[in-house]
Amino acid sequence: MSDNPHASQTPWFPLYDHRLVALSGRDALAFAQSQTMNDVGALADGQWHWNGWLTAKGRLIALFALIRIAADTVWLVVPDADADDLATRLRRFQFRSKLAIELRDDLRIAGKLSASSLASGNHWVGSAADGIELDLSGRMDGGMPGRSLRIGPELHPGANAALVARWRCMDLAHGLPRLDPSQSEQWTPQQLSLERLNAFSVKKGCYPGQEIVARTHFLGQAKRGLALVRSDAPLVPGTELPLGDQTVGTVVSACGDLGLAVLPLDLNAENPGMAGASWRFEPLHGGLAR
């Protein structure tokens, strides 16, 4: 049972900026393992994790939740990115692999601003036929509402732009980048601090961009990472952040005056130049790692 006595009153609302790409067939898991940046082989049926697809130069094309449905089926929950283009590009690497890569627009994706009473951690509940539910709550965080995500054939009524915007802002507050097309293929996993989400592996076998990711990890070459910032004016992805007479970082995701920015790791709120800056640091929440 949910810890929230009002959970049953919390409405589901469509996340129209999320779409589902399904990989199905004998080689679905092996293909996902060879192409994506996290260890798909470590997942059991009924589990999911954050994952992504990189260019050969180690830049993130798309970040998604990868769900192991069964031994021959993987679902990718893709926010923001062009899912049609992602599926098309993935098919170019099929070669002789026995699998189908298809968009599942018959399955709807919805969110709810309360913790799931069924799913927890990286374990989902339900069935591919009737729908599944994931817990997207930020564990170990006080003061932030829980969240649930549902994927199923039914269309949830009650489209609500305000709730969708709040969902996006909560993603950013937890350090989950929401990359629009202008920020695709611009950043490495380390620059986006995706280790906070356990979203990539440096121990599994080869995948596109793996050499760059592993070298950066083992040589300690990451000099920039993700920070949550708030500005005096609305932010736009791609906006450069000034500090004094220098540009110190770039906004990669935005929700009104809140944004995730790639900044030098040694820059912090105690920097003397922050007093006159038009933006400031906000504390990042945690607990979205799966």
Side-chain angles (χ1 to χ4, degrees):
M1 178 175 288
S2 171
D3 294 332
N4 181 357
H6 303 294
S8 61
Q9 302 172 18
T10 307
W12 290 97
F13 53 92
L15 293 170
Y16 289 120
D17 50 6
H18 290 56
R19 295 176 72 190
L20 191 70
V21 177
L23 282 57
S24 58
R26 185 187 71 188
D27 296 330
L29 288 175
F31 180 82
Q33 178 76 335
S34 68
Q35 287 295 320
T36 65
M37 65 184 185
N38 210 347
D39 189 358
V40 179
L43 293 177
D45 291 355
Q47 295 183 330
W48 69 278
H49 64 198
W50 301 111
N51 206 325
W53 196 39
L54 304 174
T55 68
K57 294 183 178 180
R59 268 42 181 185
L60 186 68
I61 299 170
L63 181 68
F64 41 77
L66 184 147
I67 306 167
R68 175 166 168 161
I69 300 296
D72 61 355
T73 306
V74 170
W75 286 356
L76 312 180
V77 179
V78 183
D80 307 312
D82 185 334
D84 297 89
D85 180 65
L86 178 64
T88 298
R89 293 172 68 174
L90 282 170
R91 291 186 194 108
R92 295 173 187 162
F93 295 90
Q94 275 189 254
F95 303 117
R96 294 187 176 87
S97 297
K98 303 296 184 183
L99 79 154
I101 302 171
E102 57 184 343
L103 289 169
R104 292 293 306 272
D105 286 336
D106 58 311
L107 297 176
R108 308 294 183 170
I109 301 172
K112 182 170 70 170
L113 296 180
S114 63
S116 174
S117 60
L118 303 173
S120 64
N122 76 329
H123 293 270
W124 56 266
V125 296
S127 69
D130 299 324
I132 68 171
E133 187 169 312
L134 285 66
D135 173 51
L136 260 70
S137 299
R139 293 166 291 168
M140 303 177 293
D141 260 329
M144 290 283 280
R147 294 191 296 171
S148 309
L149 186 140
R150 181 177 289 172
I151 307 166
E154 71 274 23
L155 175 62
H156 296 278
N160 189 312
L163 289 177
V164 171
R166 189 178 178 197
W167 183 279
R168 180 184 180 91
C169 289
M170 290 176 67
D171 279 344
L172 271 55
H174 283 291
L176 175 64
R178 296 288 302 271
L179 300 182
D180 69 15
S182 74
Q183 298 305 302
S184 177
E185 304 186 34
Q186 300 296 313
W187 309 102
T188 68
Q190 284 95 342
Q191 288 171 336
L192 295 174
S193 299
L194 293 181
E195 65 277 359
R196 297 181 75 255
L197 304 177
N198 294 335
F200 65 91
S201 172
V202 295
K203 296 180 179 179
K204 68 174 246 185
C206 292
Y207 56 88
Q210 182 265 346
E211 182 179 355
I212 305 296
V213 172
R215 184 189 307 150
T216 301
H217 174 80
F218 289 113
L219 297 182
Q221 293 177 335
K223 297 185 180 351
R224 294 186 291 169
L226 209 61
L228 186 67
V229 300
R230 193 175 295 276
S231 174
D232 295 342
L235 293 167
V236 177
T239 299
E240 295 182 337
L241 293 179
L243 189 60
D245 58 358
Q246 293 184 317
T247 295
V248 293
T250 304
V251 176
V252 299
S253 305
C255 176
D257 62 355
L258 191 70
L260 286 174
V262 174
L263 292 162
L265 293 174
D266 58 1
L267 187 67
N268 56 59
E270 305 304 318
N271 188 285
M274 292 301 299
S278 60
W279 57 276
R280 59 192 179 277
F281 287 98
E282 294 278 340
L284 267 175
H285 291 259
L288 275 191
R290 294 296 187 263

